[in-house]
Each structure stands twice: as C-alpha cells, then as structure tokens.
Amino acid sequence: MEFGLFMMPLHPPHRSLADGYQRDVDQIVLADRLGFREAWVGEHLTERWETAPAPDLLLAQALALTRRVKLGTGVTLLALHNPVYLAHRLAMLDHMARGRFQWGIGGGAIPTDLALFGLDPANPAVVRARSAEVLDVVLKLWESEGRFTYHGTFFDIDTPLFDPVKDRGYYMKPYQRPHPPVAVAASTPDSGSMRMAGERGWMPMTSSLLSRTYLKDHWRLVEAGAARTGRNANRGDWRVARDVLVGPTPAVARERARIVLGRNYLQHQHPNRVGTIQMTSTKLDPAMPDEAVTVDYLMDNVWIVGDPAQCAEQIQQLHEESGGFGTLLSITTDSDDAGWDHESLRLLMEHVAPRVAHLS
C-alpha cells in the first residue's frame, strides 16, 4: 500500500491566509521527506475553510521545495474554468514538474462557487454538461496538431495556426504526452465519475465522506465502466481518502482528534452537510438520523484515529471491507499546534505504513 496526502486544504478562519498556505507547503515538504507518494491540493473560491482558489500556485511553490512526491490538483472544478486558459496553465505546470504533476478533476462544485461564476446550482445537468465540455476541449487541445476548432454548447474555439516564421500561434502541450495522469474524484455513492474513471482507464479517487459500507459499490462502478470499454480495472490505481490522526498513545490521539477533526466537523462540515447526500454518505446505516452523526460516531466509524497499532488495524479493516485499494490519502489537518500535524504524518509513515505494507 502507498500513502498520499489530500489537502482540502482545511484551515480554521482565524488562521491568516498566508500562514495557512505556509502550513500547507510545510506539510508537502515533510511528506516528500517521509516518502509519501503524492499530495493533492483542492480548489474552492468561496469556501472560507478551504482557502485554495488557485491550487496550481501552491503546487508550483511546493515543486521547487520537493524532489520525489507527485503533486496534483484535488480537484480542478471543471465547470468554473475556461478550457483554453486551463489547458495552458496545466501544461505549463506539467513542464515545471517534469513528470511529477497529476491532474485531478471533478464535475461539480459547491453552490456558492457556481453562483460566483453565474452558474445555477439548482441546475446540475448544465453544470455536468459544462464540465464535460471543458474536459473534452482540454484533452483535444493537447492532442491536436495544426489548427484546432471546436464548436460546442458553451465554447467556440478556433486556435491560430502556428506560424514557424513568426514563432507565433498555438503550441503549448504538456510535458507528459498525451497528457498528465488523470484522477477522477467522487463523493457520492452512485457516482458517474467512478464509471468514467473505469471507462477511460483513469485513477479513481473516493472521497473521505463515504463510510466503508459504500466502498465495494464504488469499486463495482469502476469495474462496470472499465467493462464498457474493454479495459481491466486495476485496484492498485484506486485512491481512498480518510481523515487520519495518529498519536503517540490512544488517549492522546483521541484527544487531538476531538479538538482538531472535531472542530473541522462541528464548525465547518456539519452545518454544510445537514440534510444532504454528503451527510447520508457518512452513515453506516442510511436510516440513521443526522443528529446521530456525532464526533464520537465519526471517530469510531469513519475517521482513522489512534496510536500506530490501532490505525494499522483500522486501515486493515478498511482494506478488507473495500476489497482492496492501492493508496490511502490522508486528509491534512491544521492544528493550532502544527507539531501535532507533523507528528501524525511521521507516525503514519514510520510506524503505521510498515504494518500495512503487505496490503495491495
């Protein structure tokens, strides 16, 4: 089993933006030193707890300070972007990364992000269609040779033919050809994104929201998608995200989880999830009332919390109940004492990872 970071990033509103970004970069640098395989950085524009409107900027800074860890968007919210500009920014970042960039994509966004761009949150079909068109344009731009034209529902594109005398025209392609590795994130049980990952041979990425009861069905969606296009789905490509807090003792781990993960949940996540599919997805039993999804419930049933031995047991259980996956993505935390965050990452890689290294 491999390990990675998934960085929303989550920062309490009292953290200054500059300090939050520095903490993010510091954790990625530490992850590189500890041997994490990858780190993904989220994207939101109107979410005060998730302060990453331009994850590629943070990735660019982290690239200069790391050597091995692969870095990716987690995820690019496709509907919010102009595909021509997006294709250029990502291709440039891919060259800067020299093969260490991975492109995570998502077809939705929170309502206020959509509204900021003039998209109607109450019309998800339009959001999905726009996302699909953005993805189609980006991939076709990268594949194109010569003049490229596209006439869709949302975009009309006609690239200027490259003039070799003036050295002017459309030329930008990614460093990795035909494009960087693509990961598709999914946060709902019956996700079309998981099917698409299987159909296209891309990396499926399951959100930390989903309780373990949904994981087997998530993988079945990947397999169904792969079967449609004659592919064989590889569980080693599957990423499963989880809130993880490893402490030196069980008592310390639970105390810190209650303070840090509990704050995230009670102040940020719970108010936004009540009555939504996101809340239902965290339940082992869909019939549970929302008020039963407490910090203690999450600590005992969804999050991975404990000393190294306990966390290894919980990862083993998650792996067995899901049928197996290749990479566990640890959701990063922002404790008021940053030492807690760094200690958890060190314990995860130095004392938990060796206990589950046999899992595949």
Side-chain angles (χ1 to χ4, degrees), residues 192-213:
S193 295
M194 297 301 275
R195 293 189 189 90
M196 181 174 69
E199 289 173 359
R200 302 208 184 193
W202 293 344
M203 298 176 284
M205 187 185 295
T206 294
S207 165
S208 59
L209 287 171
L210 269 70
S211 73
R212 58 183 184 271
T213 55

Side-chain angles (χ1 to χ4, degrees), residues 49-69:
W49 278 75
E50 300 176 27
T51 54
D56 54 335
L57 296 179
L58 194 142
L59 294 175
Q61 183 176 10
L63 279 169
L65 301 172
T66 56
R67 293 294 176 267
R68 294 172 298 277
V69 65

